[in-house]
Amino acid sequence: MDELKELRTQMAAMKHSLEEYNIVNNRLMRTVMKQRSGWMSNYVTAEIIAMPVLSLFIITICHTMHMSMWIAYSIIIAMIPSTYIDWKSTMRISSDDINNLSLLELKRKLQKQKHYRKIQLLIELPFCVIWAGWFLIEYLHLRDAFKGHSEENASALGNIIFMLIMLALSVAVILIIYRVAQRTNDRIIEDIDYSDKE
């Protein structure tokens, strides 16, 4: 009987140790998730800080160059909901979600976030390209690029090439951020799947 009692005690101790290991492992994994997704929260915070500065910059350019102020208003109007969506759903994984959601719920939320982020990119990227085209057309119209002195034409052509390069770089940066964000979600989902297998 004593051996059976000792065996039960050992089994209870092993069960308790296993439960403690699972708790520690779960906490450690959630800490890693926060570290991996931390850059996304920082990105959104930087976006919020930069938005008024960028808005003033665009308004100043349009006012100084006597361009349509609707160019500035349209991009500002578009930036506000875009930043809000980034904060609420597509570019941020809150610490509360990581701490409080079950792993299955968190995995589903991350998968939805990836889907919403893709939709956001498909809407916003064409809008940005169209807006840049509008800006360029307005600039060409005001500068009357292909008339007048050859020096003015060379200057206008240089500005156009610069704007096109900046547009290409902006699109590249947006796509890189999108891919890194998607990969961050994938890595966290892989961590959850690996944890389920253990």
Side-chain angles (χ1 to χ4, degrees):
M1 286 295 283
D2 287 342
E3 289 179 3
L4 187 59
K5 189 176 180 181
E6 188 180 340
L7 187 61
R8 283 178 181 167
T9 305
Q10 287 175 354
M11 289 293 289
M14 284 175 63
K15 186 179 177 184
H16 180 70
S17 296
L18 186 61
E19 285 172 357
E20 283 187 346
Y21 169 78
N22 286 336
I23 290 168
V24 170
N25 191 40
N26 191 285
R27 285 179 184 165
L28 182 62
M29 186 172 67
R30 289 176 191 268
T31 301
V32 170
M33 288 178 189
K34 285 181 200 172
Q35 289 173 347
R36 283 192 175 153
S37 63
W39 75 269
M40 295 166 82
S41 294
N42 294 337
Y43 170 81
V44 177
T45 303
E47 194 177 8
I48 291 167
I49 293 167
M51 191 171 66
V53 176
L54 186 59
S55 300
L56 285 172
F57 178 69
I58 293 168
I59 288 170
T60 303
I61 287 175
C62 290
H63 180 72
T64 304
M65 297 179 68
H66 305 289
M67 299 172 81
S68 170
M69 290 307 290
W70 281 106
I71 292 175
Y73 299 150
S74 62
I75 197 69
I76 292 166
I77 290 166
M79 278 194 299
I80 293 168
S82 174
T83 304
Y84 179 77
I85 290 167
D86 284 350
W87 177 259
K88 290 300 285 183
S89 61
T90 60
M91 281 300 293
R92 188 173 150 268
I93 304 167
S94 72
S95 295
D96 287 342
D97 287 344
I98 292 173
N99 288 333
N100 301 324
L101 294 178
S102 70
L103 292 179
L104 183 60
E105 288 173 325
L106 184 59
K107 179 180 175 179
R108 285 177 182 158
K109 183 159 188 174
L110 291 168
Q111 288 169 334
K112 282 182 183 177
Q113 188 181 54
K114 284 185 65 182
H115 178 68
Y116 294 150
R117 193 181 292 135
K118 184 176 182 179
I119 292 170
Q120 185 184 19
L121 180 76
L122 292 174
I123 292 169
E124 290 183 3
L125 194 58
F127 172 82
C128 289
V129 172
I130 290 167
W131 180 86
W134 181 18
F135 183 91
L136 190 59
I137 289 167
E138 186 81 7
Y139 172 78
L140 287 173
H141 176 69
L142 290 172
R143 287 296 302 264
D144 206 13
F146 300 106
K147 293 180 183 176
H149 301 293
S150 59
E151 292 171 5
E152 290 178 0
N153 289 341
S155 174
L157 184 60
N159 288 338
I160 291 165
I161 291 169
F162 174 76
M163 283 189 267
L164 290 173
I165 290 169
M166 291 305 295
L167 175 62
L169 287 173
S170 299
V171 170
V173 168
I174 289 167
L175 291 174
I176 288 167
I177 291 169
Y178 167 79
R179 289 192 67 181
V180 173
Q182 295 291 75
R183 185 61 193 139
T184 299
N185 282 43
D186 287 337
R187 289 183 71 187
I188 295 173
I189 290 168
E190 285 168 10
D191 288 343
I192 293 170
D193 289 339
Y194 181 76
S195 174
D196 288 342
K197 288 176 185 177
E198 288 187 332

